[in-house]
Amino acid sequence: MPKLKLVFLFFLLPSLLFAQKHFDIILKNGKIIDGAGNPWFYGDVGIVKNKIVSIGDLSKNKAKKTIDASGLIIAPGFIDVHTHIEGDEKKTPTADNFIYDGVTTVITGNCGSSNIDIAKYFKQLDSIRLSINVATLIGHNDVRRAVLGEKAVTPDEAQLKQMENLVEQAMRDGAVGFSTGLIYTPGLYSKTPEVIALAKAAAKYHGVYTSHMRNESDKIFDAINEAIDVGREAGMPVEISHFKVGLPNWNKSDQMIAMVEKARAEGLDVTVDQYPYTASSTTLNVLLPDWLLDGGRDSVMKRLNDPAIHQKVVDEMIKDMARRGRQHFDYAVVAHCDSDTTLNGKNIMQINIEKSRTSTIPNEIETMLDITKIGSASMVFHGMNEDDVENILKFPLTMVASDSGIRLFGSGVPHPRGYGSNARVLGYYVREKHLIRLEDAVRKMTSLPAQKFHLTGRGLLQPGMFADIVIFDANTVKDESTFGHPHAYSVGFKYVLVNGQLTVDNFKHTGTRNGAILRGPGFEQKK
């Protein structure tokens, strides 16, 4: 090489080394919470395309767009590990209730309810394009239904093999784990060995076992033991869904947590998730005897129209109420009834009175059976203790979740958790009650769930990670949704980025739909 060129390169090298980097987006002057639980620090975040490429002092760098985050928190986008978005994707692909609550990634297919053909589902999501990233579990109830229907039967060897094959195919197509909903038909008819066999099928592909347990009130400890035993026998991590307890076991969350800690001391990877409210929400059917639901709706109607069987149902429900220590069904509120929307927002005791019936448990049960006959309803159940909610939230291995679908704004009177779970933790439990540190709250919403469900590249603010980012005001972030007026978006999230694209800009959803499909490690093995 000629000497002139060597001299030129010698003098040019420093300028090449120290040349300014150009970013697509720079988030500057924010308090960075990295998601790992570390203390916040001031800094800037540089983004190129869909990735974080630099964190630090970027004041001398240029970008196509610069966002001043002075006075705001910059954190990883929140990951909601417990959702039910199936059927909502086309109606509201912008997923506003999640995005306005800082959620950039959801895991659906919980409580044993999912799509069976995961490859087809992901193809549909790819064509719809949501504003959020989506991963899914494969649900036990739908796997069982595909092979056995709604019947209260035990599968034979061939049928169990069919179910195992469905689970394995789902895992190869990218499911992140296997979920059960053991209070719902037809899963409630399954015995533990069946659940273990199907969990083992998912464990071959490094899946997580998530469970809506058989009981969350009077038999809670037996249910926790079963969930842990499934993980132990299948050799896989366990996530106990919406960890909570109702009557008569209020104030026993310490014992529940101790069971999780004991399992972990034995080497089992057990964690939990929680929505931060004292009410739950599910179908009215969970209050009915299990045997009544055997065979599906036609069988239910036939039984209820038989006077002797009808009375047997009432008698069993009376005994169940006594066991739970309840005096009335005023704790059970209709969230949505397709067949009679005038019931929405009213509790069973109130509806019973409106039917000109006296306020007795038998009469309130008859009112519930009337609703069952016209098509049932989704419900909100006010059945928990605030002390237990706070105790569980303080547990380091509790993740924050909504147990919600994509809300259709203004429809019904749903549980407020679908709008405000994360904001409620940040505003009420962190800022107002000082129950947990801000950094710990963010960890529960980001790196902890990402690590649990193998969401590679998510959950942390680090170079090389996907640019799922929330920027919020820790002084104003708040859940606006209430039980009486649930349709209200959270406030305080000024900017939200999903895979590097601005999805909330100055508190307004941009309409951007840049969410990705997140596949589990079983899909990696398939390649």
Side-chain angles (χ1 to χ4, degrees):
M1 181 180 290
K3 290 183 179 180
L4 182 61
K5 288 186 178 180
L6 286 172
V7 172
F8 176 75
L9 286 173
F10 177 79
F11 285 106
L12 181 62
L13 188 58
S15 62
L16 291 173
L17 290 174
F18 297 104
Q20 291 183 341
K21 290 182 181 178
H22 288 262
F23 299 94
D24 291 325
I25 299 175
I26 289 179
L27 313 175
K28 67 176 186 178
N29 303 327
K31 289 182 176 180
I32 295 176
I33 295 180
D34 65 5
N38 296 317
W40 66 264
F41 61 93
Y42 285 114
D44 309 323
V45 179
I47 299 165
V48 175
K49 296 183 179 178
N50 64 345
K51 294 286 187 71
I52 298 168
V53 297
S54 186
I55 295 177
D57 182 0
L58 305 179
S59 58
K60 297 185 182 301
N61 299 92
K62 296 181 180 179
K64 295 176 184 176
K65 183 176 182 64
T66 298
I67 294 175
D68 188 357
S70 297
L72 304 176
I73 302 295
I74 303 176
F78 302 154
I79 299 169
D80 191 332
V81 299
H82 192 105
T83 72
H84 299 274
I85 70 167
E86 291 87 353
D88 300 334
E89 304 94 339
K90 289 184 179 180
K91 298 175 187 174
T92 315
T94 48
D96 301 66
N97 59 307
F98 287 114
I99 288 292
Y100 279 125
D101 202 36
V103 174
T104 57
T105 298
V106 302
I107 298 176
T108 194
N110 283 279
C111 297
S113 179
S114 74
N115 286 275
I116 290 291
D117 189 336
I118 301 303
K120 180 180 178 181
Y121 178 55
F122 282 158
K123 188 174 181 180
Q124 291 171 344
L125 289 183
D126 192 49
S127 65
I128 295 170
R129 299 294 296 178
L130 302 183
S131 291
I132 50 176
N133 304 311
V134 179
T136 190
L137 300 150
I138 177 66
H140 173 222
N141 287 339
D142 285 293
V143 167
R144 195 178 211 274
R145 188 175 290 114
V147 177
L148 301 172
E150 294 286 345
K151 297 178 181 178
V153 297
T154 298
D156 61 28
E157 188 174 330
Q159 291 168 331
L160 186 60
K161 185 61 179 176
Q162 279 183 270
M163 294 160 69
E164 290 172 357
N165 289 340
L166 287 173
V167 172
E168 289 200 32
Q169 184 60 57
M171 297 302 295
R172 288 194 296 270
D173 288 337
V176 296
F178 170 64
S179 77
T180 55
L182 298 174
I183 68 165
Y184 302 118
T185 59
L188 62 84
Y189 304 126
S190 65
K191 295 180 174 64
T192 305
E194 174 189 322
V195 178
I196 291 172
L198 299 181
K200 284 182 176 179
K204 294 179 185 178
Y205 303 91
H206 307 289
V208 176
Y209 173 60
T210 76
S211 183
H212 181 147
M213 301 180 295
R214 290 190 195 272
N215 187 284
E216 295 173 327
S217 56
D218 58 314
K219 299 178 182 178
I220 183 73
F221 302 109
D222 291 339
I224 293 172
N225 276 326
E226 183 185 32
I228 293 171
D229 285 344
V230 170
R232 179 184 291 109
E233 294 298 317
M236 68 195 302
V238 175
E239 175 80 357
I240 300 179
S241 299
H242 37 60
F243 205 53
K244 60 182 179 291
V245 63
L247 287 171
N249 281 318
W250 277 8
N251 297 313
K252 293 185 180 179
S253 54
D254 276 339
Q255 296 176 44
M256 297 162 55
I257 291 169
M259 295 175 73
V260 174
E261 291 177 322
K262 182 176 181 292
R264 291 189 65 86
E266 295 169 358
L268 302 174
D269 180 0
V270 184
T271 52
V272 305
D273 59 64
Q274 174 199 40
Y275 46 81
Y277 299 86
T278 56
S280 60
S281 181
T282 189
T283 174
L284 179 65
N285 286 351
V286 300
L287 296 180
L288 306 177
D290 294 350
W291 57 265
L292 175 65
L293 304 173
D294 183 12
R297 178 163 177 77
D298 288 345
S299 298
V300 171
M301 295 300 293
K302 183 177 180 180
R303 293 184 185 108
L304 289 179
N305 288 328
D306 182 313
I309 297 177
H310 186 107
Q311 187 59 48
K312 183 182 177 183
V313 170
V314 173
D315 292 343
E316 285 196 16
M317 293 179 71
I318 290 172
K319 290 178 182 178
D320 186 61
M321 277 291 277
R323 193 173 68 248
R324 293 169 185 261
R326 292 281 184 183
Q327 301 301 314
H328 288 284
F329 284 96
D330 53 341
Y331 75 99
V333 180
V334 175
H336 187 77
C337 180
D338 283 330
S339 302
D340 186 355
T341 57
T342 65
L343 303 181
N344 294 351
K346 298 176 182 178
N347 68 55
I348 296 299
M349 184 178 178
Q350 179 183 357
I351 296 168
N352 181 69
I353 292 171
E354 289 180 356
K355 286 179 172 287
S356 300
R357 292 170 172 163
T358 56
S359 293
T360 65
I361 285 180
N363 282 345
E364 290 171 6
I365 290 171
E366 292 293 350
T367 295
M368 286 191 290
L369 295 181
D370 288 345
I371 296 172
T372 300
K373 289 178 180 178
I374 65 172
S376 197
S378 60
M379 306 290 293
V380 171
F381 298 110
H382 294 270
M384 289 175 277
N385 180 306
E386 177 66 18
D387 290 340
D388 287 322
V389 171
E390 293 185 8
N391 199 34
I392 292 168
L393 182 58
K394 288 189 294 183
F395 182 45
L397 299 178
T398 298
M399 304 171 202
V400 179
S402 68
D403 195 3
S404 173
I406 301 173
R407 291 288 189 234
L408 183 61
F409 197 89
S411 177
V413 190
H415 196 300
R417 66 192 183 188
Y419 285 99
S421 288
N422 294 284
R424 179 169 174 78
V425 170
L426 298 172
Y428 181 61
Y429 289 108
V430 172
R431 185 179 64 242
E432 295 183 23
K433 298 209 71 172
H434 305 289
L435 187 71
I436 56 176
R437 295 166 58 243
L438 178 58
E439 292 89 343
D440 291 333
V442 170
R443 183 186 65 84
K444 290 171 177 288
M445 303 169 183
T446 57
S447 68
L448 185 59
Q451 176 184 338
K452 182 73 178 197
F453 288 90
H454 305 291
L455 303 182
T456 306
R458 315 279 169 177
L460 289 169
L461 289 186
Q462 289 180 353
M465 305 294 281
F466 288 97
D468 294 340
I469 299 173
V470 295
I471 304 174
F472 64 93
D473 188 339
N475 297 314
T476 62
V477 64
K478 183 183 179 184
D479 60 313
E480 293 286 331
S481 178
T482 65
F483 288 103
H485 301 281
H487 295 288
Y489 297 119
S490 295
V491 297
F493 293 96
K494 191 170 185 178
Y495 303 98
V496 177
L497 291 88
V498 180
N499 296 308
Q501 294 294 310
L502 203 56
T503 307
V504 170
D505 186 359
N506 199 26
F507 304 110
K508 297 295 183 183
H509 199 310
T510 63
T512 298
R513 290 151 62 180
N514 197 44
I517 296 165
L518 308 184
R519 294 176 172 87
F523 185 78
E524 298 287 334
Q525 292 180 16
K526 189 175 89 168
K527 291 182 179 178

